[in-house]
Amino acid sequence: MRVNIIFHSESGNLYLIAESFKEQLKEAGLDARLYRIDDPDLHVHAAERNDVNEYYEEIMDLPVASNEKLMSADVIMLGVPSRFGMPSAETKAFLDHTWPLYLSKRLVGKYFYPFATSYVSYKDALDAIESVENWASLMGLESIDYPAFTHKDGEMMPQRPGEELERTARELSSIIKSQTKRKSEESE
């Protein structure tokens, strides 16, 4: 079972969240991989903010997300920073390029799980999640039956994500395994 974790991170928060998810998914025996959404201005943010600079090289070393990476996944996890209740412009541009996948129905039946951060509020992150869930629904993706993770309060995460994120990642790994296994058994 391949889980592609795709994210856009400016501050490093979404990178740390995605990395935590990847570690727990791998521990659960799933093939989890990280991909970054291309951000041609990330170097500017890194030059202006120390927190961004701390994770800049690690983020840039990751492969760039693409339609091919979406198609190669059984489960797509999408991490988005919220901008006024919407996903970042970079995330929106990435999703806009999936139009051919919508027309060909290439993602129908795959699983989807969103997560988000916001500098403004918890509701702001939830609104961004709702936006990408609308995209997922139109693409024919099936939701993972677990509440979307949001990083509240817009504070920089510590170097190691806290207990709440680790617990969420462990529980999510278990849900993904059982939900995909159930679907596999039903199709046999």
Side-chain angles (χ1 to χ4, degrees):
M1 181 66 47
R2 183 162 168 181
V3 182
N4 287 351
I5 306 168
I6 296 169
F7 68 93
H8 175 231
S9 186
E10 291 180 351
S11 68
N13 279 340
L14 278 160
Y15 166 68
L16 291 172
I17 293 167
E19 185 69 36
S20 185
F21 282 141
K22 178 184 137 192
E23 289 172 15
Q24 291 298 322
L25 290 163
K26 283 190 173 267
E27 274 188 35
L30 298 167
D31 178 10
R33 302 175 189 200
L34 293 182
Y35 299 95
R36 66 181 172 88
I37 291 176
D38 190 35
D39 182 349
D41 294 326
L42 190 58
H43 70 285
V44 175
H45 299 297
E48 295 172 350
R49 294 178 42 197
N50 193 40
D51 57 342
V52 178
N53 190 43
E54 186 172 348
Y55 300 103
Y56 175 77
E57 288 182 20
E58 292 174 52
I59 293 169
M60 293 305 291
D61 284 344
L62 294 170
V64 175
S66 64
N67 285 354
E68 289 75 25
K69 300 305 180 196
L70 290 170
M71 290 185 301
S72 69
D74 299 298
V75 179
I76 298 164
M77 294 178 67
L78 183 61
V80 299
S82 178
R83 299 292 180 269
F84 307 105
M86 298 174 283
S88 65
E90 292 80 3
T91 303
K92 177 75 168 78
F94 172 73
L95 296 178
D96 284 349
H97 283 95
T98 65
W99 181 251
L101 299 179
Y102 170 75
L103 294 175
S104 66
K105 307 291 185 210
R106 297 288 303 268
L107 300 182
V108 171
K110 294 180 183 290
Y111 285 97
F112 179 74
Y113 180 81
F115 56 102
T117 60
S118 172
Y119 286 108
V120 179
S121 69
Y122 177 71
K123 182 181 179 330
D124 187 52
L126 289 177
D127 288 345
I129 285 171
E130 183 178 347
S131 180
V132 296
E133 284 176 333
N134 289 338
W135 167 83
S137 176
L138 289 169
M139 297 302 268
L141 297 167
E142 296 181 30
S143 294
I144 294 294
D145 190 21
Y146 192 81
F149 180 82
T150 58
H151 178 59
K152 306 172 191 92
D153 303 326
E155 297 173 358
M156 186 61 193
M157 292 193 69
Q159 292 266 345
R160 295 176 190 218
E163 289 179 26
E164 177 190 5
L165 176 56
E166 289 179 3
R167 179 182 40 74
T168 297
R170 276 192 308 277
E171 291 173 0
L172 181 61
S173 296
S174 177
I175 297 286
I176 288 173
K177 281 187 80 168
S178 66
Q179 196 169 340
T180 55
K181 182 180 178 187
R182 191 173 344 128
K183 181 180 178 183
S184 175
E185 289 169 353
E186 289 171 1
S187 66
E188 289 179 358

